[in-house]
Amino acid sequence: MTSEVVTCASCGTKNRVPVVSSGHPRCAACHVDLPWLVDAGDDDFASAVDTKPLVLVDLWAPWCGPCRMVAPTVEKLSREFAGRLKVVKVNVDESPQVAQRYRAQSIPMLLFMRDGEVVNTVIGAQSEHVMRTLTQQYV
């Protein structure tokens, strides 16, 4: 199981945030909810999206300009909705099975998932306002 290191915005403590977990990450020192932004691929995607909070899956590729435009907004949403939203980034070039499963023919493609099921799909770069509104609708 891999993990990301996230610095707590509240106290500055560095915390390991796992890709897979049944709860949601909190700072080990001050117990504030941490943003949950992880990378997943074909091997660990199913377990990465199998969690209680709302999951926002970002299907992207490094060569995709609109994907790079959306990335800062997706990261901002993970911080803004810490404890209520998990963001899973999937590089479609490295994870063709996930891309094929969700028919990602155009990227960026954002999937809002609850209990492992897609509740909404957004294709193409969207404004921060649109993405925040959609996220608020589902959290």
Side-chain angles (χ1 to χ4, degrees), residues 65-67 69-70 107-110 122-128 130-131:
C67 297
M69 289 172 41
V70 168
I107 53 175
M109 182 177 188
L110 304 170
V122 178
I123 298 173
Q126 304 295 319
S127 70
E128 183 175 327
V130 168
M131 291 175 60

Side-chain angles (χ1 to χ4, degrees), residues 10-109:
S10 179
C11 71
T13 301
K14 291 185 180 183
N15 297 269
R16 290 197 182 278
V17 176
V19 172
V20 178
S21 178
S22 59
H24 64 274
R26 291 189 178 187
C27 177
C30 70
H31 307 289
V32 169
D33 290 332
L34 294 171
W36 203 357
L37 177 79
V38 298
D39 294 310
D42 287 338
D43 296 336
D44 58 356
F45 179 78
S47 53
V49 298
D50 183 24
T51 188
K52 184 176 172 115
L54 176 70
V55 178
L56 172 58
V57 178
D58 180 10
L59 299 170
W60 69 285
W63 49 263
C64 170
C67 297
R68 291 194 310 265
M69 289 172 41
V70 168
T73 301
V74 169
E75 292 172 14
K76 188 174 183 180
L77 291 173
S78 76
R79 290 189 303 273
E80 197 173 308
F81 293 96
R84 299 181 291 159
L85 176 70
K86 179 179 185 179
V87 175
V88 177
K89 295 184 67 73
V90 178
N91 181 336
V92 296
D93 289 340
E94 296 174 357
S95 306
Q97 292 173 351
V98 174
Q100 183 179 21
R101 178 177 176 190
Y102 294 101
R103 296 179 178 92
Q105 296 177 344
S106 183
I107 53 175
M109 182 177 188

